[in-house]
């Protein structure tokens, strides 16, 4: 059913694109207006979300086979997808909050599905990091109330401070620096959840929000987005180079590509950003599914213990190789069409430091992608046996479907929505990018990190989780101090407790006076005071 709706969505998207029309629908519920926006951008993104979601749900029947709470898992997955669709079609603050908070709640439940210590702590880190953005959205909506409109698509006409709140909010959802610690921690979720979260739903929500707000800075660009995107891409590339956990390496590659998208938004290349988001979702969902097959079959997740996957799982290993090449930007795959457009356009704009960081990030992407192929596929571990080597599970259909998306998705998007608007550049820039890809493929064969301290620093993301954890303790301690010394301290003593104690004293005095044998004398002496 999801696949059928996705086909209807892409047909509607092409129709709206050709007609150049946008439809705004408004509904009223409990005296509140709910506004939806239907355009080619939203419909094509709904197609992408539903296409990947349908394949993930089929894949989940293989990966989650034997789970006691399989039905609960599917219902939470459907709630997660519905929240993303609500966010996509939102056009005002109320509809935005429904989708945004729905994503936060359902992602929290999905990450802690296994109900162990790691899942619980990872889900808590994720939800607390995203709650920072939720608070900023609420502040923004409160400020927008004075403008008598909650239509955030015209945010640039309201206030610069509201725009800044929305930018930081998108940073929390898309895990830009310094909010990057929660993204690798979310790997505690089941692999089907990771493939959905890291491709087209949770992490792309912040990017999609910025795409909707892009008319505010499309002409002049935004330096904050440029610097945050370039630093995030470079930082995550270095961290992935020293990581040995297969799923965390792929998660850090997602973080790197999110930095590329944010960088392109800062340059005002909104359509290129959406193009890369579209292509990245297809091959990243496929890469996560293949990693789940490898982990499920071999029973290990550490790449240092893997090897010989090409002989045990030939079809899966071939798809891993193609997905990794698409991630690198290998010619004529999906990543080649979208990623090269962004980097080459940034070089034309003569931004030396951010463009240099993006080129280094492109090199690092090739390094850790080829490292996955080298460690997992080419080397051999004689102590490792494959538990499921027949490759006849239900996962073959989803892998085959998304495989063609990773190979041809970029070309079809380029042909359907870009056309002659932005031809692929050539010359020296193209040769340099292809040379970086080739150099990155060869580097893992010659460079071996032997320093334990360096590897420990890289694998821990330069201790970013610990730093952000200690920084977050400051407002938590301040809140605890305000609670115990404020609400439970002098505020309580000078307020409710004082009123309560005085009321007890007054009631006991009145009771004594009313029961005293001298009450007539006492009341008679107080009568002149009352008359005054």
């Amino acid at each position: 059913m999801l696949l059928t709706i996705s086909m209807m969505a892409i047909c509607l998207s092409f129709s709206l694109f050709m007609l150049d029309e946008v439809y705004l629908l408004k509904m009223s519920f409990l005296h509140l207006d709910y506004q939806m926006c239907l355009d080619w951008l939203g419909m094509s993104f709904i197609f992408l979300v539903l296409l990947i979601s349908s394949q993930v749900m089929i894949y989940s029947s293989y990966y989650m086979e034997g789970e006691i709470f399989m039905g609960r898992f599917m219902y939470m997955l459907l709630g997660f997808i519905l929240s993303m669709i609500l966010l996509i079609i939102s056009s005002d603050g109320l509809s935005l909050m429904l989708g945004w908070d729905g994503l936060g709640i359902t992602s929290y439940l999905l990450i802690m599905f296994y109900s162990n210590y790691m899942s619980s702590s990872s889900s808590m880190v994720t939800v607390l990091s995203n709650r920072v953005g939720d608070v900023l959205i609420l502040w923004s909506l409160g400020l927008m109330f004075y403008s008598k409109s909650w239509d955030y698509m015209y945010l640039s006409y309201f206030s610069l401070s509201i725009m800044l709140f929305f930018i930081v909010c998108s940073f929390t959802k898309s895990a830009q620096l310094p909010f990057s610690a929660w993204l690798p921690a979310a790997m505690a979720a089941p692999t089907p959840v990771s493939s959905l979260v890291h491709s087209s739903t949770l992490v792309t929500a912040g990017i999609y929000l910025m795409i909707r707000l892009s008319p505010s800075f499309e002409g002049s660009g935004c330096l904050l987005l440029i610097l945050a995107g370039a630093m995030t891409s470079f930082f995550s590339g270095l961290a992935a180079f020293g990581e040995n956990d297969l799923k965390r390496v792929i998660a850090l590659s997602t973080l790197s590509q999110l930095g590329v998208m944010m960088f392109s938004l800062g340059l005002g290349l909104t359509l290129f950003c959406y193009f890369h988001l579209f292509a990245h979702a297809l091959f990243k969902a496929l890469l996560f599914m293949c990693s789940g097959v490898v982990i499920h079959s071999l029973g290990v997740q550490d790449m240092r213990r893997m090897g010989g996957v090409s002989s045990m799982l030939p079809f899966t290993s071939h798809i891993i190789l193609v997905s990794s090449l698409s991630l690198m930007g290998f010619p004529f795959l999906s990543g080649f069409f979208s990623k090269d457009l962004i980097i080459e356009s940034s070089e034309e704009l003569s931004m030396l430091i951010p463009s240099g960081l993006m080129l280094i990030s492109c090199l690092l992407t090739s390094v850790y992608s080829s490292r996955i192929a080298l460690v997992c596929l080419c080397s051999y571990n004689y102590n490792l046996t494959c538990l499921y080597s027949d490759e006849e599970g239900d996962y073959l259909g989803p892998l085959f479907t998304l495989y063609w998306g990773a190979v041809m998705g970029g070309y079809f998007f380029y042909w359907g929505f870009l056309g002659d608007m932005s031809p692929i550049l050539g010359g020296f820039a193209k040769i340099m990018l292809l040379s970086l890809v080739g150099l990155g493929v060869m580097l893992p064969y010659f460079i071996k990190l032997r320093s334990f301290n360096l590897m420990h620093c890289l694998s821990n993301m330069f201790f970013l989780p610990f730093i952000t954890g200690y920084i977050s303790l400051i407002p938590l301690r301040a809140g605890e101090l305000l609670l115990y010394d404020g609400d439970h301290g002098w505020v309580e003593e000078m307020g409710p407790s004082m009123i309560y104690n005085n009321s007890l004293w007054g009631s006991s005095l009145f009771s004594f006076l009313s029961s005293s044998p001298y009450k007539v004398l006492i009341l008679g002496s107080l009568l002149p005071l009352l008359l005054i």
Side-chain angles (χ1 to χ4, degrees):
M1 181 178 178
L2 293 178
L3 188 60
T4 304
I5 299 175
S6 69
M7 293 298 110
M8 295 170 58
I10 193 62
C11 293
L12 181 59
S13 175
F14 273 117
S15 300
L16 293 174
F17 180 77
M18 298 301 296
L19 297 174
D20 194 18
E21 292 184 352
V22 178
Y23 294 97
L24 293 176
L25 304 179
K26 183 176 289 187
M27 298 184 301
S28 295
F29 181 72
L30 296 177
H31 303 287
L32 294 174
D33 292 333
Y34 183 91
Q35 185 171 300
M36 297 179 293
C37 177
L38 302 180
D39 59 349
W40 75 268
L41 187 73
M43 288 298 102
S44 60
F45 198 32
I46 287 177
F47 157 75
L48 180 68
V49 171
L50 292 180
L51 173 65
I52 295 176
S53 301
S54 63
Q55 305 309 308
V56 166
M57 296 193 77
I58 298 172
Y59 174 81
S60 300
S61 62
Y62 151 77
Y63 191 86
M64 306 292 289
E65 184 180 4
E67 281 289 337
I68 301 176
F69 303 109
M70 184 66 179
R72 181 191 300 176
F73 176 77
M74 288 297 184
Y75 282 123
M76 289 190 295
L77 210 58
L78 285 174
F80 188 68
I81 298 166
L82 178 61
S83 300
M84 189 63 197
I85 293 176
L86 288 176
L87 176 66
I88 292 171
I89 63 176
S90 67
S91 177
D92 62 346
L94 176 62
S95 56
L96 176 66
M97 284 304 301
L98 287 176
W100 196 272
D101 275 347
L103 281 176
I105 294 170
T106 51
S107 63
Y108 173 75
L109 296 175
L110 286 169
I111 293 173
M112 68 175 302
F113 178 77
Y114 284 138
S115 301
N116 52 34
Y117 175 78
M118 179 177 290
S119 300
S120 179
S121 60
S122 299
S123 60
M124 187 58 66
V125 169
T126 301
V127 74
L128 289 179
S129 300
N130 287 301
R131 288 310 289 175
V132 176
D134 300 346
V135 171
L136 293 178
I137 282 188
L138 291 174
W139 283 0
S140 302
L141 295 180
L143 293 175
M144 290 171 65
F145 177 77
Y146 292 99
S147 63
K148 299 180 177 59
S149 175
W150 281 349
D151 195 344
Y152 64 89
M153 290 188 180
Y154 302 98
L155 194 59
S156 60
Y157 301 101
F158 296 152
S159 173
L160 181 61
S161 60
I162 302 176
M163 187 66 195
L164 183 61
F165 283 164
F166 271 96
I167 288 176
V168 178
C169 172
S170 69
F171 282 3
T172 61
K173 214 69 162 182
S174 57
Q176 302 296 302
L177 285 176
F179 306 103
S180 304
W182 71 265
L183 190 63
M187 289 298 97
T191 300
V193 177
S194 301
S195 63
L196 193 57
V197 164
H198 286 254
S199 59
S200 59
T201 51
L202 184 64
V203 297
T204 58
I207 302 294
Y208 183 79
L209 179 61
M210 284 293 100
I211 290 175
R212 286 299 192 189
L213 298 175
S214 59
S216 304
F217 48 82
E218 193 169 16
S220 58
C222 181
L223 185 60
L224 179 60
L225 298 182
I226 293 173
L227 295 178
M231 290 299 297
T232 302
S233 184
F234 174 71
F235 171 80
S236 55
L238 283 178
F241 185 67
E243 184 59 61
N244 293 311
D245 189 290
L246 178 59
K247 286 181 65 176
R248 285 177 64 91
V249 171
I250 302 175
L252 289 168
S253 72
T254 300
L255 186 57
S256 177
Q257 302 311 305
L258 290 173
V260 174
M261 297 174 201
M262 196 65 74
F263 174 77
S264 63
L265 278 173
L267 294 177
L269 307 173
T270 306
L271 197 56
F272 290 175
C273 171
Y274 182 66
F275 185 16
H276 190 53
L277 185 151
F278 198 95
H280 170 264
L282 292 170
F283 61 74
K284 187 51 62 72
L286 182 62
L287 195 56
F288 263 110
M289 287 184 183
C290 291
S291 68
V293 172
V294 172
I295 294 170
H296 194 265
S297 301
L298 302 183
V300 296
Q301 196 164 324
D302 194 330
M303 291 194 300
R304 293 170 296 185
R305 298 179 58 193
M306 293 180 180
V309 182
S310 57
S311 59
M312 300 177 188
L313 303 168
F315 182 68
T316 305
S317 62
H318 169 72
I319 295 179
I320 289 178
L321 182 60
V322 172
S323 303
S324 301
L325 290 175
S326 184
L327 177 61
M328 296 179 200
F330 196 78
F332 308 113
L333 296 177
S334 293
F336 169 76
F337 287 93
S338 59
K339 190 176 177 180
D340 284 19
L341 281 175
I342 295 172
I343 297 178
E344 291 172 3
S345 300
S346 69
E347 293 174 3
E348 284 194 340
L349 295 175
S350 302
M351 302 192 68
L352 183 59
I353 296 178
S355 298
L357 289 177
M358 294 308 300
L359 288 175
I360 298 174
S361 302
C362 182
L363 174 64
L364 292 173
T365 301
S366 301
V367 169
Y368 60 71
S369 299
S370 59
R371 182 166 166 258
I372 293 176
L374 174 65
V375 175
C376 298
L377 306 180
C378 300
S379 59
Y380 195 82
N381 189 344
Y382 293 96
N383 298 322
L384 199 62
T385 58
C386 187
L387 303 178
Y388 308 97
S389 59
D390 50 358
E391 289 193 321
E392 293 179 356
D394 294 334
Y395 64 89
L396 290 180
L399 292 189
F400 185 75
T401 302
L402 294 179
Y403 170 77
W404 288 110
V407 174
M408 304 295 296
Y411 174 76
F412 283 124
F413 187 94
Y414 184 84
W415 169 78
F417 294 110
L418 292 180
D420 297 330
M421 291 174 57
S422 42
I424 296 179
L425 305 178
F428 176 73
K430 180 66 65 180
I431 295 174
M432 182 173 61
L433 283 174
L434 294 178
S435 301
L436 287 176
V437 171
L439 179 62
V441 170
M442 293 185 294
L443 279 180
Y445 292 91
F446 303 102
I447 297 179
K448 303 292 182 182
L449 293 179
R450 302 296 183 184
S451 173
F452 173 78
N453 294 329
L454 180 59
M455 288 292 293
H456 183 66
C457 182
L458 292 177
S459 62
N460 284 282
M461 299 179 65
F462 298 93
F463 306 102
L464 179 65
F466 303 101
I467 295 172
T468 54
Y470 279 116
I471 292 176
S472 63
L473 282 177
I474 297 174
L476 290 177
R477 295 296 185 189
E480 183 182 15
L481 181 65
L482 183 63
L483 174 65
Y484 288 107
D485 293 344
D487 288 350
H488 294 175
W490 63 269
V491 174
E492 180 74 21
E493 293 296 330
M494 298 297 293
S497 294
M498 185 177 65
I499 296 173
Y500 173 73
N501 294 328
N502 292 336
S503 300
L504 286 180
W505 180 82
S507 62
S508 61
L509 177 62
F510 184 77
S511 177
F512 169 75
L513 293 177
S514 61
S515 62
S516 173
Y518 304 102
K519 60 183 177 181
V520 177
L521 180 61
I522 295 174
L523 291 175
S525 62
L526 294 177
L527 185 60
L529 297 176
L530 296 176
L531 293 176
I532 293 174

